[in-house]
Amino acid sequence: MPANKKHLSRPGQRILKITAGILGGFFVTVLFYNALGSLMKQKDALIITTAYTSFILWAILLIIAFLVKNGWKVWGIYFLLILLFGVIIFLNK
């Protein structure tokens, strides 16, 4: 039985969601843990925690990218998070 056309996204939106989920989610995850590390004094526990939780956070961000209807909104939110975490890292150096 074929899928209902009203529930499918256009190919352009699908590409935006895929790239936002994979690349945007990866950059948000990496910069989140770097910003967290720049705020902490002792970074030993953060290294172990990052090894386990970074994949979980990336997977959650990947799923969120596909739940939103518009791929541009996902990229916008992820870009703002990337800028926020980048500013936190820059200010704490």
Side-chain angles (χ1 to χ4, degrees):
M1 186 164 119
N4 194 348
K5 296 287 185 188
K6 70 178 182 180
H7 297 298
L8 298 176
S9 59
R10 295 184 310 246
Q13 287 295 318
R14 195 173 315 131
I15 291 171
L16 284 172
K17 290 178 186 180
I18 291 170
T19 57
I22 294 172
L23 294 176
F26 175 75
F27 287 125
V28 169
T29 301
V30 168
L31 288 174
F32 171 73
Y33 283 109
N34 282 337
L36 191 62
S38 69
L39 294 173
M40 295 177 71
K41 299 287 183 198
Q42 296 177 345
K43 296 174 179 50
D44 297 336
L46 181 68
I47 295 171
I48 296 169
T49 305
T50 302
Y52 295 112
T53 59
S54 61
F55 178 74
I56 296 169
L57 179 61
W58 176 77
I60 290 169
L61 291 171
L62 180 67
I63 292 169
I64 288 172
F66 283 100
L67 292 177
V68 178
K69 280 196 170 248
N70 193 349
W72 289 110
K73 288 182 183 177
V74 178
W75 264 116
I77 292 169
Y78 286 178
F79 186 70
L80 288 175
L81 288 172
I82 289 169
L83 285 177
L84 174 72
F85 296 143
V87 167
I88 291 171
I89 293 167
F90 180 74
L91 293 176
N92 286 320
K93 285 204 174 198

Coordinates of all heavy atoms in Angstrom, one line a residue:
M1 N 0.8 -1.2 0.0 CA 0.0 0.0 0.0 C 0.9 1.2 0.0 O 1.7 1.4 0.9 CB -0.9 0.0 1.2 CG -1.9 1.1 1.3 SD -3.1 0.6 2.5 CE -2.9 2.0 3.6
P2 N 0.7 2.2 -0.9 CA 1.6 3.3 -1.0 C 1.3 4.3 0.1 O 0.2 4.4 0.6 CB 1.3 3.9 -2.4 CG 0.0 3.4 -2.8 CD -0.1 2.0 -2.1
A3 N 2.3 5.2 0.4 CA 2.1 6.2 1.4 C 1.2 7.3 1.0 O 1.1 7.6 -0.2 CB 3.4 6.7 1.8
N4 N 0.5 7.9 1.9 CA -0.4 9.0 1.6 C 0.5 10.2 1.2 O 1.4 10.6 2.0 CB -1.3 9.3 2.8 CG -2.4 10.3 2.4 OD1 -2.4 10.9 1.4 ND2 -3.3 10.4 3.4
K5 N 0.3 10.9 0.1 CA 1.1 12.0 -0.4 C 1.2 13.2 0.5 O 2.1 13.9 0.6 CB 0.7 12.4 -1.8 CG 0.8 11.3 -2.8 CD 2.2 11.1 -3.2 CE 2.2 10.1 -4.4 NZ 3.5 9.7 -4.7
K6 N 0.1 13.4 1.3 CA 0.1 14.6 2.2 C 1.0 14.4 3.3 O 1.4 15.4 4.0 CB -1.3 14.9 2.7 CG -1.9 13.9 3.6 CD -3.3 14.3 4.1 CE -3.8 13.3 5.1 NZ -5.1 13.7 5.6
H7 N 1.5 13.2 3.7 CA 2.4 13.0 4.8 C 3.9 13.0 4.3 O 4.8 12.9 5.2 CB 2.1 11.7 5.5 CG 0.7 11.7 6.1 ND1 0.4 12.6 7.1 CD2 -0.4 10.9 5.9 CE1 -0.9 12.4 7.5 NE2 -1.4 11.4 6.7
L8 N 4.1 13.0 3.0 CA 5.5 13.0 2.5 C 6.0 14.4 2.3 O 5.3 15.3 1.9 CB 5.5 12.2 1.2 CG 5.1 10.7 1.3 CD1 5.1 10.2 -0.1 CD2 6.0 10.0 2.2
S9 N 7.3 14.6 2.6 CA 7.9 15.9 2.3 C 8.5 16.0 0.9 O 8.8 14.9 0.3 CB 8.9 16.2 3.4 OG 9.9 15.3 3.4
R10 N 8.7 17.2 0.4 CA 9.3 17.3 -0.9 C 10.8 17.0 -0.8 O 11.4 17.0 0.2 CB 9.1 18.8 -1.3 CG 7.7 19.2 -1.5 CD 7.6 20.6 -2.1 NE 8.4 21.5 -1.3 CZ 7.9 22.5 -0.5 NH1 6.6 22.7 -0.5 NH2 8.7 23.2 0.2
P11 N 11.4 16.6 -2.0 CA 12.8 16.2 -2.0 C 13.7 17.3 -1.4 O 14.7 17.0 -0.7 CB 13.1 15.9 -3.4 CG 11.7 15.6 -4.1 CD 10.7 16.4 -3.3
G12 N 13.4 18.6 -1.7 CA 14.3 19.6 -1.2 C 14.2 19.7 0.4 O 15.3 19.8 1.0
Q13 N 13.0 19.5 0.9 CA 12.9 19.5 2.4 C 13.6 18.3 3.0 O 14.1 18.4 4.1 CB 11.4 19.6 2.8 CG 10.8 20.9 2.5 CD 11.4 22.0 3.4 OE1 11.7 21.8 4.6 NE2 11.6 23.2 2.8
R14 N 13.5 17.2 2.3 CA 14.1 16.0 2.8 C 15.6 16.1 2.9 O 16.2 15.7 3.8 CB 13.7 14.8 1.8 CG 13.9 13.4 2.5 CD 13.4 12.3 1.6 NE 12.1 12.6 1.1 CZ 11.7 12.4 -0.2 NH1 12.5 12.0 -1.1 NH2 10.5 12.7 -0.5
I15 N 16.2 16.7 1.8 CA 17.6 16.9 1.8 C 18.0 17.9 3.0 O 19.0 17.6 3.7 CB 18.1 17.4 0.5 CG1 18.0 16.3 -0.6 CG2 19.5 17.9 0.5 CD1 18.2 16.8 -2.0
L16 N 17.3 18.9 3.2 CA 17.5 19.9 4.3 C 17.5 19.2 5.6 O 18.3 19.4 6.5 CB 16.6 21.0 4.2 CG 16.8 22.1 3.2 CD1 15.7 23.1 3.1 CD2 18.1 22.8 3.5
K17 N 16.5 18.3 5.8 CA 16.3 17.6 7.1 C 17.5 16.6 7.3 O 18.0 16.5 8.4 CB 15.0 16.8 7.1 CG 13.8 17.7 7.2 CD 12.5 16.9 7.2 CE 11.3 17.7 7.1 NZ 10.1 16.9 7.1
I18 N 17.9 15.9 6.2 CA 19.0 15.0 6.4 C 20.3 15.7 6.7 O 21.0 15.3 7.6 CB 19.1 14.1 5.1 CG1 17.9 13.2 4.9 CG2 20.4 13.3 5.1 CD1 17.9 12.5 3.6
T19 N 20.6 16.8 6.0 CA 21.8 17.5 6.3 C 21.8 18.2 7.6 O 22.8 18.2 8.4 CB 22.1 18.5 5.2 OG1 21.0 19.4 5.1 CG2 22.4 17.8 3.9
A20 N 20.6 18.7 8.0 CA 20.5 19.3 9.3 C 20.7 18.3 10.4 O 21.3 18.5 11.4 CB 19.2 20.0 9.5
G21 N 20.1 17.1 10.2 CA 20.2 16.1 11.3 C 21.6 15.5 11.4 O 22.0 15.3 12.5
I22 N 22.2 15.3 10.3 CA 23.6 14.7 10.4 C 24.6 15.7 10.7 O 25.3 15.6 11.7 CB 23.9 13.9 9.1 CG1 23.0 12.7 8.9 CG2 25.3 13.5 9.0 CD1 23.1 12.1 7.5
L23 N 24.8 16.7 9.8 CA 25.8 17.7 10.0 C 25.5 18.7 11.1 O 26.3 19.0 12.0 CB 26.1 18.5 8.7 CG 26.6 17.7 7.5 CD1 26.7 18.5 6.3 CD2 28.0 17.1 7.9
G24 N 24.3 19.3 11.1 CA 23.9 20.3 12.1 C 23.9 19.6 13.5 O 24.4 20.2 14.5
G25 N 23.4 18.4 13.6 CA 23.3 17.7 14.9 C 24.7 17.4 15.4 O 25.0 17.5 16.6
F26 N 25.6 17.1 14.5 CA 27.0 16.8 14.9 C 27.7 18.0 15.4 O 28.3 18.0 16.5 CB 27.8 16.2 13.7 CG 29.2 16.0 14.0 CD1 29.7 15.0 14.8 CD2 30.2 16.9 13.5 CE1 31.0 14.8 15.0 CE2 31.5 16.7 13.7 CZ 31.9 15.6 14.5
F27 N 27.6 19.2 14.7 CA 28.2 20.4 15.1 C 27.6 20.9 16.4 O 28.4 21.4 17.3 CB 28.2 21.5 14.0 CG 29.1 21.2 12.9 CD1 28.6 21.1 11.6 CD2 30.4 21.0 13.1 CE1 29.4 20.9 10.5 CE2 31.3 20.7 12.0 CZ 30.8 20.6 10.7
V28 N 26.3 20.8 16.6 CA 25.7 21.2 17.8 C 26.2 20.4 19.0 O 26.5 20.9 20.1 CB 24.2 21.2 17.8 CG1 23.5 21.3 19.1 CG2 23.6 22.2 16.8
T29 N 26.3 19.1 18.8 CA 26.8 18.2 19.8 C 28.2 18.5 20.2 O 28.6 18.6 21.4 CB 26.7 16.7 19.3 OG1 25.4 16.4 19.0 CG2 27.2 15.7 20.4
V30 N 29.1 18.6 19.2 CA 30.5 18.9 19.5 C 30.7 20.3 20.2 O 31.4 20.4 21.2 CB 31.3 18.9 18.2 CG1 32.7 19.4 18.4 CG2 31.4 17.5 17.6
L31 N 30.0 21.3 19.7 CA 30.2 22.6 20.3 C 29.5 22.7 21.7 O 29.9 23.4 22.6 CB 29.6 23.7 19.4 CG 30.5 23.9 18.2 CD1 29.8 24.9 17.3 CD2 31.8 24.5 18.6
F32 N 28.4 21.9 21.9 CA 27.8 21.8 23.3 C 28.8 21.3 24.3 O 29.0 21.9 25.4 CB 26.6 21.0 23.2 CG 26.0 20.7 24.6 CD1 25.4 21.7 25.3 CD2 26.2 19.4 25.2 CE1 24.8 21.4 26.6 CE2 25.6 19.2 26.4 CZ 25.0 20.2 27.1
Y33 N 29.5 20.2 24.0 CA 30.4 19.6 24.9 C 31.7 20.5 25.1 O 32.3 20.5 26.1 CB 30.7 18.2 24.6 CG 29.6 17.3 25.0 CD1 28.8 16.7 24.0 CD2 29.3 17.0 26.3 CE1 27.8 15.8 24.4 CE2 28.3 16.2 26.7 CZ 27.5 15.6 25.7 OH 26.5 14.8 26.1
N34 N 32.1 21.2 24.0 CA 33.2 22.1 24.1 C 32.9 23.3 25.0 O 33.7 23.7 25.8 CB 33.7 22.5 22.7 CG 34.5 21.5 22.0 OD1 35.1 20.6 22.7 ND2 34.5 21.6 20.7
A35 N 31.7 23.8 24.8 CA 31.2 24.9 25.7 C 31.1 24.5 27.1 O 31.5 25.2 28.0 CB 29.9 25.4 25.2
L36 N 30.6 23.3 27.3 CA 30.5 22.7 28.7 C 31.9 22.6 29.3 O 32.1 22.9 30.5 CB 29.7 21.4 28.7 CG 29.3 20.8 30.0 CD1 28.3 21.8 30.7 CD2 28.6 19.5 29.8
G37 N 32.8 22.1 28.5 CA 34.2 21.9 29.0 C 34.9 23.2 29.3 O 35.7 23.3 30.2
S38 N 34.5 24.3 28.5 CA 35.1 25.6 28.8 C 34.6 26.2 30.1 O 35.2 27.1 30.7 CB 34.9 26.5 27.6 OG 33.6 26.9 27.5
L39 N 33.4 25.8 30.5 CA 32.9 26.3 31.8 C 33.3 25.6 33.0 O 33.3 26.1 34.1 CB 31.3 26.2 31.7 CG 30.7 27.1 30.7 CD1 29.2 26.8 30.6 CD2 30.9 28.6 31.0
M40 N 33.9 24.3 32.8 CA 34.3 23.5 34.0 C 35.7 23.7 34.3 O 36.5 23.9 33.4 CB 34.0 22.0 33.7 CG 32.5 21.7 33.5 SD 32.2 20.0 33.0 CE 32.7 19.2 34.6
K41 N 36.0 23.5 35.6 CA 37.4 23.6 36.0 C 38.1 22.2 35.8 O 39.2 22.1 35.3 CB 37.5 24.0 37.5 CG 36.9 25.4 37.8 CD 37.8 26.4 37.2 CE 37.2 27.8 37.6 NZ 37.7 28.9 36.8
Q42 N 37.5 21.2 36.3 CA 38.0 19.8 36.2 C 37.3 19.1 35.0 O 36.1 18.9 35.0 CB 37.8 19.0 37.5 CG 38.5 19.6 38.6 CD 38.2 18.9 39.9 OE1 37.3 18.1 40.0 NE2 39.1 19.1 40.9
K43 N 38.1 18.8 34.0 CA 37.6 18.2 32.8 C 37.7 16.7 32.7 O 37.3 16.1 31.7 CB 38.2 18.9 31.6 CG 38.0 20.4 31.5 CD 38.8 21.0 30.4 CE 38.6 22.4 30.2 NZ 38.6 23.3 31.4
D44 N 38.1 16.0 33.7 CA 38.3 14.6 33.7 C 37.0 13.9 33.5 O 36.9 12.9 32.7 CB 39.0 14.1 34.9 CG 40.4 14.7 35.1 OD1 41.0 15.1 34.0 OD2 40.9 14.7 36.2
A45 N 36.0 14.2 34.3 CA 34.7 13.6 34.2 C 34.0 13.9 32.9 O 33.2 13.1 32.4 CB 33.8 13.9 35.4
L46 N 34.2 15.0 32.4 CA 33.6 15.4 31.1 C 34.0 14.6 30.0 O 33.2 14.2 29.1 CB 33.8 16.9 30.8 CG 33.1 17.4 29.6 CD1 31.6 17.5 29.8 CD2 33.7 18.8 29.2
I47 N 35.2 14.2 29.9 CA 35.8 13.3 28.8 C 35.1 12.0 28.8 O 34.6 11.5 27.8 CB 37.3 13.2 28.9 CG1 38.0 14.5 28.7 CG2 37.8 12.2 27.9 CD1 39.4 14.5 29.0
I48 N 34.9 11.4 30.0 CA 34.2 10.1 30.1 C 32.7 10.2 29.7 O 32.2 9.4 29.0 CB 34.4 9.5 31.5 CG1 35.9 9.2 31.7 CG2 33.6 8.2 31.6 CD1 36.3 8.9 33.1
T49 N 32.1 11.3 30.3 CA 30.7 11.5 30.0 C 30.4 11.8 28.5 O 29.5 11.3 28.0 CB 30.2 12.7 30.9 OG1 30.5 12.4 32.2 CG2 28.7 12.9 30.7
T50 N 31.3 12.5 27.9 CA 31.1 12.9 26.5 C 31.2 11.6 25.6 O 30.5 11.5 24.6 CB 32.2 13.9 26.1 OG1 32.1 15.0 26.9 CG2 32.1 14.3 24.6
A51 N 32.1 10.7 26.0 CA 32.2 9.5 25.2 C 30.9 8.7 25.1 O 30.6 8.1 24.1 CB 33.3 8.6 25.8
Y52 N 30.1 8.8 26.2 CA 28.9 8.0 26.2 C 27.7 8.8 25.7 O 26.8 8.3 25.0 CB 28.6 7.4 27.6 CG 29.6 6.5 28.0 CD1 30.5 6.8 29.0 CD2 29.7 5.2 27.4 CE1 31.5 5.8 29.4 CE2 30.7 4.3 27.8 CZ 31.6 4.6 28.8 OH 32.5 3.7 29.2
T53 N 27.6 10.0 26.1 CA 26.4 10.8 25.8 C 26.4 11.6 24.5 O 25.3 12.0 24.1 CB 26.1 11.8 27.0 OG1 27.2 12.7 27.1 CG2 25.9 11.0 28.3
S54 N 27.5 11.7 23.9 CA 27.5 12.5 22.6 C 26.8 11.8 21.5 O 26.0 12.5 20.8 CB 29.0 12.8 22.2 OG 29.7 11.6 21.9
F55 N 26.9 10.5 21.4 CA 26.1 9.8 20.4 C 24.6 9.9 20.7 O 23.8 10.0 19.8 CB 26.5 8.3 20.3 CG 25.7 7.6 19.3 CD1 26.0 7.7 18.0 CD2 24.8 6.7 19.7 CE1 25.2 7.1 17.0 CE2 24.0 6.0 18.8 CZ 24.2 6.2 17.4
I56 N 24.2 9.8 22.0 CA 22.8 9.9 22.3 C 22.3 11.3 22.0 O 21.2 11.4 21.4 CB 22.6 9.6 23.8 CG1 23.0 8.1 24.1 CG2 21.2 9.8 24.3 CD1 23.1 7.8 25.6
L57 N 23.0 12.3 22.3 CA 22.6 13.7 22.0 C 22.5 13.9 20.5 O 21.5 14.4 20.0 CB 23.5 14.7 22.6 CG 23.2 16.2 22.3 CD1 21.8 16.5 22.8 CD2 24.2 17.1 22.8
W58 N 23.4 13.4 19.7 CA 23.4 13.5 18.2 C 22.2 12.7 17.7 O 21.5 13.2 16.8 CB 24.7 12.9 17.7 CG 24.7 12.9 16.2 CD1 24.9 14.0 15.4 CD2 24.5 11.8 15.3 NE1 24.8 13.6 14.0 CE2 24.6 12.3 14.0 CE3 24.3 10.4 15.6 CZ2 24.4 11.4 12.9 CZ3 24.1 9.6 14.5 CH2 24.2 10.1 13.2
A59 N 21.9 11.5 18.2 CA 20.7 10.8 17.7 C 19.4 11.5 18.0 O 18.5 11.5 17.2 CB 20.7 9.4 18.3
I60 N 19.3 12.1 19.2 CA 18.1 12.9 19.5 C 18.0 14.1 18.6 O 16.9 14.4 18.1 CB 18.2 13.3 21.0 CG1 18.0 12.1 21.9 CG2 17.1 14.4 21.3 CD1 18.3 12.4 23.3
L61 N 19.1 14.8 18.3 CA 19.0 15.9 17.4 C 18.7 15.4 15.9 O 18.0 16.2 15.2 CB 20.3 16.7 17.4 CG 20.6 17.4 18.6 CD1 22.1 18.0 18.6 CD2 19.7 18.5 18.9
L62 N 19.1 14.3 15.6 CA 18.8 13.7 14.2 C 17.3 13.4 14.2 O 16.6 13.7 13.2 CB 19.6 12.4 14.0 CG 19.4 11.7 12.7 CD1 19.9 12.6 11.5 CD2 20.1 10.4 12.7
I63 N 16.7 12.9 15.2 CA 15.3 12.6 15.2 C 14.5 13.8 15.2 O 13.5 13.9 14.5 CB 15.0 11.7 16.4 CG1 15.6 10.3 16.3 CG2 13.5 11.6 16.6 CD1 15.5 9.4 17.5
I64 N 14.9 14.8 16.0 CA 14.2 16.1 16.0 C 14.1 16.8 14.6 O 13.1 17.4 14.3 CB 14.8 17.0 17.1 CG1 14.5 16.5 18.5 CG2 14.3 18.5 16.9 CD1 15.2 17.3 19.6
A65 N 15.2 16.6 13.9 CA 15.3 17.2 12.5 C 14.2 16.6 11.6 O 13.7 17.3 10.8 CB 16.6 17.0 11.9
F66 N 13.9 15.4 11.8 CA 12.8 14.7 11.0 C 11.4 15.0 11.5 O 10.5 14.7 10.8 CB 13.1 13.2 10.8 CG 14.2 13.0 9.9 CD1 15.5 12.7 10.3 CD2 14.0 13.0 8.5 CE1 16.5 12.5 9.4 CE2 15.0 12.8 7.6 CZ 16.3 12.5 8.1
L67 N 11.3 15.4 12.7 CA 9.9 15.6 13.3 C 9.4 17.0 12.9 O 8.2 17.2 12.8 CB 10.0 15.5 14.8 CG 10.2 14.2 15.4 CD1 10.3 14.2 16.9 CD2 9.1 13.2 15.0
V68 N 10.3 17.9 12.5 CA 9.8 19.3 12.1 C 9.5 19.2 10.7 O 10.1 18.6 9.9 CB 11.0 20.3 12.4 CG1 10.6 21.7 12.0 CG2 11.3 20.3 13.9
K69 N 8.4 20.0 10.3 CA 8.0 20.0 8.9 C 8.9 20.7 8.0 O 9.2 20.3 6.8 CB 6.6 20.6 8.8 CG 5.5 19.7 9.2 CD 4.2 20.2 8.7 CE 3.2 19.2 8.8 NZ 2.7 18.6 7.6
N70 N 9.5 21.8 8.4 CA 10.3 22.7 7.5 C 11.8 22.5 7.9 O 12.2 22.7 9.0 CB 9.9 24.1 7.7 CG 10.5 25.0 6.7 OD1 11.3 24.6 5.9 ND2 10.0 26.2 6.6
G71 N 12.6 22.1 6.9 CA 14.0 21.9 7.1 C 14.8 23.2 7.4 O 15.8 23.2 8.0
W72 N 14.3 24.3 6.8 CA 14.9 25.6 7.1 C 14.8 26.0 8.5 O 15.8 26.6 9.1 CB 14.3 26.7 6.2 CG 14.7 26.5 4.8 CD1 13.9 26.2 3.8 CD2 16.0 26.7 4.2 NE1 14.5 26.1 2.6 CE2 15.8 26.4 2.8 CE3 17.2 27.0 4.7 CZ2 16.9 26.5 1.9 CZ3 18.3 27.1 3.8 CH2 18.1 26.8 2.4
K73 N 13.7 25.7 9.2 CA 13.6 26.0 10.6 C 14.6 25.2 11.5 O 15.2 25.7 12.4 CB 12.2 25.7 11.1 CG 11.1 26.7 10.6 CD 9.8 26.3 11.1 CE 8.7 27.3 10.6 NZ 7.4 26.9 11.0
V74 N 14.8 23.9 11.1 CA 15.7 23.1 11.8 C 17.1 23.7 11.6 O 17.9 23.8 12.6 CB 15.7 21.6 11.3 CG1 16.7 20.8 12.0 CG2 14.3 21.0 11.5
W75 N 17.5 24.0 10.4 CA 18.8 24.6 10.2 C 19.0 25.9 11.0 O 20.0 26.2 11.5 CB 19.1 24.8 8.7 CG 19.9 23.7 8.1 CD1 19.4 22.9 7.1 CD2 21.2 23.3 8.4 NE1 20.4 22.0 6.8 CE2 21.5 22.2 7.5 CE3 22.2 23.7 9.3 CZ2 22.7 21.6 7.6 CZ3 23.4 23.1 9.3 CH2 23.7 22.0 8.5
G76 N 17.9 26.7 11.0 CA 18.0 28.0 11.7 C 18.2 27.8 13.2 O 19.0 28.4 13.8
I77 N 17.5 26.8 13.8 CA 17.6 26.5 15.2 C 19.0 26.0 15.5 O 19.7 26.4 16.5 CB 16.5 25.6 15.7 CG1 15.2 26.2 15.6 CG2 16.8 25.0 17.1 CD1 14.0 25.3 15.8
Y78 N 19.5 25.1 14.7 CA 20.8 24.5 14.9 C 21.9 25.5 14.7 O 22.9 25.5 15.4 CB 21.0 23.3 14.0 CG 20.3 22.0 14.4 CD1 20.3 20.9 13.6 CD2 19.5 22.0 15.5 CE1 19.6 19.7 14.0 CE2 18.8 20.9 15.9 CZ 18.9 19.7 15.1 OH 18.2 18.6 15.5
F79 N 21.7 26.4 13.7 CA 22.7 27.5 13.5 C 22.7 28.4 14.7 O 23.8 28.8 15.1 CB 22.4 28.2 12.2 CG 23.4 29.3 11.8 CD1 24.6 28.8 11.4 CD2 23.1 30.6 12.0 CE1 25.6 29.8 11.1 CE2 24.1 31.5 11.6 CZ 25.3 31.1 11.2
L80 N 21.6 28.8 15.3 CA 21.6 29.6 16.5 C 22.3 28.9 17.6 O 23.0 29.6 18.4 CB 20.2 30.0 16.8 CG 19.5 31.0 15.9 CD1 18.0 31.2 16.3 CD2 20.2 32.3 15.9
L81 N 22.0 27.6 17.8 CA 22.7 26.9 18.9 C 24.2 26.9 18.7 O 25.0 27.0 19.6 CB 22.1 25.5 19.0 CG 20.7 25.4 19.6 CD1 20.2 23.9 19.4 CD2 20.7 25.8 21.0
I82 N 24.6 26.7 17.4 CA 26.1 26.7 17.1 C 26.7 28.0 17.4 O 27.8 28.1 18.0 CB 26.3 26.3 15.6 CG1 25.9 24.8 15.4 CG2 27.7 26.6 15.1 CD1 25.9 24.4 13.9
L83 N 26.0 29.1 17.1 CA 26.5 30.4 17.4 C 26.6 30.7 18.9 O 27.5 31.2 19.4 CB 25.7 31.5 16.8 CG 25.8 31.7 15.3 CD1 24.9 32.8 14.8 CD2 27.3 32.1 15.0
L84 N 25.5 30.2 19.6 CA 25.5 30.4 21.1 C 26.6 29.7 21.7 O 27.4 30.2 22.6 CB 24.2 29.9 21.6 CG 24.0 29.9 23.1 CD1 23.9 31.3 23.7 CD2 22.9 29.0 23.6
F85 N 26.8 28.4 21.4 CA 27.9 27.6 22.0 C 29.3 28.2 21.6 O 30.2 28.1 22.3 CB 27.8 26.2 21.6 CG 26.5 25.5 22.2 CD1 25.9 24.6 21.5 CD2 26.0 25.9 23.4 CE1 24.7 24.0 22.0 CE2 24.9 25.3 23.9 CZ 24.2 24.3 23.2
G86 N 29.4 28.7 20.3 CA 30.7 29.3 19.9 C 31.0 30.5 20.7 O 32.1 30.7 21.0
V87 N 30.0 31.3 21.0 CA 30.2 32.5 21.8 C 30.6 32.2 23.2 O 31.5 32.8 23.8 CB 29.0 33.4 21.8 CG1 29.0 34.5 22.8 CG2 28.8 34.0 20.4
I88 N 30.0 31.2 23.8 CA 30.4 30.7 25.1 C 31.8 30.2 25.1 O 32.6 30.6 26.0 CB 29.4 29.6 25.6 CG1 28.0 30.2 25.8 CG2 30.0 28.9 26.8 CD1 27.0 29.1 26.1
I89 N 32.2 29.5 24.1 CA 33.6 29.0 24.1 C 34.5 30.2 23.9 O 35.6 30.2 24.6 CB 33.8 28.0 22.9 CG1 33.0 26.7 23.2 CG2 35.2 27.7 22.7 CD1 32.8 25.8 22.0
F90 N 34.2 31.1 23.0 CA 35.1 32.3 22.8 C 35.2 33.1 24.0 O 36.3 33.6 24.3 CB 34.5 33.1 21.6 CG 35.3 34.3 21.3 CD1 36.5 34.2 20.7 CD2 34.9 35.6 21.7 CE1 37.3 35.3 20.4 CE2 35.6 36.7 21.4 CZ 36.8 36.6 20.7
L91 N 34.1 33.3 24.8 CA 34.2 34.2 26.0 C 34.9 33.6 27.1 O 35.4 34.3 28.0 CB 32.8 34.6 26.4 CG 32.1 35.5 25.4 CD1 30.6 35.8 25.9 CD2 32.8 36.8 25.2
N92 N 35.0 32.3 27.2 CA 35.7 31.6 28.3 C 37.1 31.2 28.0 O 37.7 30.5 28.8 CB 34.9 30.3 28.7 CG 33.6 30.7 29.4 OD1 33.5 31.6 30.2 ND2 32.5 30.0 29.0
K93 N 37.7 31.7 27.0 CA 39.1 31.4 26.7 C 40.0 32.4 27.3 O 39.7 33.5 27.6 CB 39.4 31.3 25.2 CG 38.8 30.0 24.7 CD 39.6 29.6 23.5 CE 39.1 28.2 23.1 NZ 39.9 27.6 22.2

